[in-house]
Amino acid sequence: MKHYHRFHLIPVLPLWMILLLPFGQAQTSWEYHQNPAFHPKAVLDLATDAGGNLWYVSGSVLGRFDGNTWTSSDFTTAGIQVQYNFLRSLAHAPDGKVWCGAFDRVLEYSPGANQWVLHNPFNSATNLNGYAMTADPNGKLYWSTSNGWAEWNGIQWTRNWFYFNTPLGNGIEEYSFRDVVIDQAGEAWFVTPGSIGFETGFIVPAGIIHQSATDTSVYKMGDLGYPEVLILPVALNMQGYPMALVGTVEQNGQVRKLHVLSFEFGAWQNLGEAPTQTATGLAIYQDPIGNIWIAGQNSPGQPVVIRRYPDGSWETYLLDNQKISDVYTITGTPDGSIWVGGRLDTQGVLARLPGQFISGTNEISAPCPAFSLVCSGGRILMPASLSGAAEGQCVVYNSLGQQMTILSMNDLAEGINVPHWPSGVYFAKIEAKTGCPVQTIRFIK
C-alpha cells in the first residue's frame, strides 16, 4: 500500500494554523457527532468490544454505537450517585459486561439487562482520583488510582498501594498513578507523570512500573533520556507489549516533541519522533495492521491526530476546532474507522475518520497475488491456489488488536480450526514474499 505525503498550505486557514502545518499533512474528511446522548460533558474514553461496537463514556452516560444506531444508559437514572457524577474510563470484560471508572468508585454495567452495580474497591470515601481501567483475557479487572490500584477477580476486590515516602530510591512520585495496560503475559504496566514531590518538594521524574508475579520493575524516563515528560498514555502494540508516549520540552517550555516508545526485546525502544510539535499528547492506539495513532493538541488549541505508518513514515490530520476543541481519547473500529473523543466547550463530541487502516486487494498487482479467506463452520481456509503462490506468513488479530495465531501459507491451504475463538471480527495480516505489500483481510467468525 502506497502512502503519499502532501506538501501544501490551505489559504483559508488562520495564519497561526498555517505556521503549525507539518510536513505530511493529510487531506481528510472528518465526521463529527454531537448527539444529545453524549451528555453536556466531555467524551473521556472510547473502547471497541469483541463484536466491533464502539463504546464511550461522557458525564454519567455510557453509550454504544453499533455502526447504525446510538444507544446509551445513564447510571443516575438507576439511583446511583458518585462524586461529580462523571465517568473517566471504561473496559470490556470477556463475559460482555462493561466496567466504568469514576473519580472514587467503579460501576459495573450489564448491557442485556441495562443494569448498573456500584463498587467501592477501596472501601473508602476518600478522594482516590481514579484514572484508567482495563481487563485481561481471563476477566480480571484493573482500576488505577492516584496512589495504587485495585483488582477484581469476579468475586472480590484486592487493594494494592504503591507508595514511596520520598521520591528518592525508586524515584516515583507517591500519588501519581495514571494509565494501566495488561500485557500478553497478564502482567500490569502503570505510568506516572513527572511532577514535584507531594510531600518532599523534590522534582520527580516520570516512570513506568511493571508489576509481575514475582517482581516490580521501575523504568525512569529521565534515565532513558526524557527528563521532562508529558502525561504518559500507554497502550499495547500488536504483540501485546506496552508502548508509551513521551515528550521532550523545548527551551521556551511550551513546544513539545512527541516520541513513541515500545518495550521490545526486554528494553524500551524509540520508534521515532513525530514530525509535528504539540502542546499535549493525550492518547495512543495501534490498529490491527501496525499503524500507531496519537491524539493531542497543537498550540494554540488545535486538535490533531498523528499517524505513524509501519514503515516509519508519519502523517498528520487536523480536526476542525470549531467542531471539537479538545481531544482526550482515540481508538479504531473493525470497519477501519479511527474515532476520537473530546468536547466542544461543555458538550461531548465524537469525530470519525472513515476507513483508514485496511488495505484493499484492488491495490495489489502482479506478480503479487491478491489473497482471500473463507471462514465457515469455525474453520479458516485459503484457496490452495493462492496459498501456494507466495512464501510468507499470516498473523491473525481480533478486533481489539490482540494476536490470535501465526500461520504459514501451507497452514491456510489445509485450513485451521478455530471453534474456541469468540464470535466477532478478525483481521488476517498476510506478509507475502519480498517486494509484495502486506495485505490485511477482514473476516467474521
Side-chain angles (χ1 to χ4, degrees):
M1 184 175 182
K2 296 182 179 179
H3 308 297
Y4 297 94
H5 291 270
R6 303 166 181 83
F7 306 94
H8 60 268
L9 298 178
I10 304 173
V12 297
L13 292 178
L15 178 61
W16 66 263
M17 190 182 296
I18 292 175
L19 295 175
L20 286 170
L21 285 176
F23 294 124
Q25 164 82 42
Q27 286 279 58
T28 60
S29 179
W30 289 90
E31 299 174 0
Y32 298 89
H33 301 265
Q34 197 174 31
N35 191 296
F38 295 165
H39 207 272
K41 297 283 186 178
V43 177
L44 290 187
D45 201 9
L46 296 170
T48 305
D49 66 21
N53 300 298
L54 178 74
W55 292 78
Y56 66 90
V57 289
S58 179
S60 57
V61 168
L62 169 67
R64 188 185 76 165
F65 180 58
D66 63 6
N68 297 297
T69 305
W70 297 91
T71 57
S72 64
S73 179
D74 189 327
F75 64 77
T76 61
T77 62
I80 295 176
Q81 300 288 321
V82 299
Q83 193 168 8
Y84 308 127
N85 281 340
F86 205 114
L87 299 177
R88 286 182 163 188
S89 56
L90 77 157
H92 294 280
D95 61 3
K97 291 182 178 179
V98 186
W99 293 79
C100 302
F103 189 83
D104 63 344
R105 296 292 188 271
V106 170
L107 292 93
E108 172 189 357
Y109 179 70
S110 300
N114 189 27
Q115 182 179 5
W116 291 91
V117 177
L118 181 64
H119 293 255
N120 184 0
F122 283 83
N123 194 27
S124 170
T126 60
N127 292 338
L128 294 172
N129 209 5
Y131 282 98
M133 301 202 70
T134 191
D136 69 17
N138 296 319
K140 180 180 286 188
L141 188 79
Y142 294 78
W143 179 49
S144 69
T145 71
S146 60
N147 51 8
W149 74 98
E151 300 175 17
W152 171 256
N153 63 5
I155 300 175
Q156 62 183 7
W157 289 96
T158 302
R159 299 182 295 274
N160 300 274
W161 301 94
F162 201 87
Y163 179 83
F164 295 123
N165 290 325
T166 73
L168 304 178
N170 283 328
I172 299 298
E173 171 58 75
E174 61 270 38
Y175 302 124
S176 61
F177 267 51
R178 293 296 186 268
D179 215 346
V180 55
V181 295
I182 309 301
D183 66 19
Q184 61 180 6
E187 297 176 350
W189 296 75
F190 302 90
V191 295
T192 67
S195 61
I196 298 178
F198 180 75
E199 294 182 344
T200 64
F202 287 102
I203 296 177
V204 184
I208 299 178
I209 301 165
H210 177 202
Q211 184 74 30
S212 70
T214 59
D215 194 16
T216 298
S217 301
V218 177
Y219 301 92
K220 299 181 191 178
M221 293 297 99
D223 294 343
L224 300 178
Y226 306 97
E228 296 184 82
V229 189
L230 306 179
I231 291 178
L232 288 160
V234 64
L236 292 178
N237 62 27
M238 292 192 303
Q239 289 72 43
Y241 293 111
M243 58 181 179
L245 190 61
V246 301
T248 53
V249 184
E250 298 297 289
Q251 290 182 353
N252 60 15
Q254 299 296 323
V255 177
R256 291 179 165 96
K257 295 183 178 180
L258 295 179
H259 304 259
V260 178
L261 304 183
S262 181
F263 193 83
E264 302 172 7
F265 312 111
W268 289 98
Q269 311 292 328
N270 189 335
L271 301 185
E273 179 183 292
T276 185
Q277 298 170 338
T278 68
T280 61
L282 293 172
I284 183 171
Y285 161 74
Q286 187 173 41
D287 67 34
I289 62 171
N291 297 293
I292 296 173
W293 299 82
I294 301 167
Q297 263 98 251
N298 281 337
S299 180
Q302 171 59 46
V304 64
V305 170
I306 310 167
R307 178 186 194 178
R308 181 190 183 275
Y309 289 99
D311 65 5
S313 60
W314 297 82
E315 199 162 41
T316 301
Y317 304 79
L318 297 181
L319 293 97
D320 186 345
N321 63 355
Q322 299 301 309
K323 296 181 178 179
I324 183 169
S325 55
D326 299 276
V327 295
Y328 302 111
T329 179
I330 187 168
T331 193
T333 47
D335 63 357
S337 298
I338 295 297
W339 292 84
V340 297
R343 67 182 177 93
L344 178 65
D345 299 323
T346 59
Q347 175 68 48
V349 180
L350 284 176
R352 173 178 175 259
L353 186 63
Q356 290 297 308
F357 60 76
I358 302 199
S359 60
T361 55
N362 61 339
E363 300 177 20
I364 311 301
S365 59
C368 299
F371 296 104
S372 63
L373 287 177
V374 176
C375 185
S376 178
R379 185 175 179 83
I380 301 175
L381 179 67
M382 175 183 286
S385 59
L386 290 177
S387 62
E391 299 177 353
Q393 67 176 14
C394 171
V395 185
V396 180
Y397 302 92
N398 64 16
S399 62
L400 303 179
Q402 298 167 330
Q403 182 177 303
M404 303 298 292
T405 187
I406 300 178
L407 306 166
S408 69
M409 296 303 180
N410 289 333
D411 291 334
L412 286 174
E414 297 174 1
I416 61 166
N417 291 316
V418 291
H420 57 289
W421 289 6
S423 298
V425 178
Y426 293 87
F427 300 90
K429 180 180 177 183
I430 299 175
E431 299 176 356
K433 61 184 179 182
T434 303
C436 291
V438 173
Q439 298 178 49
T440 300
I441 301 171
R442 177 178 180 265
F443 64 93
I444 298 174
K445 176 182 180 298

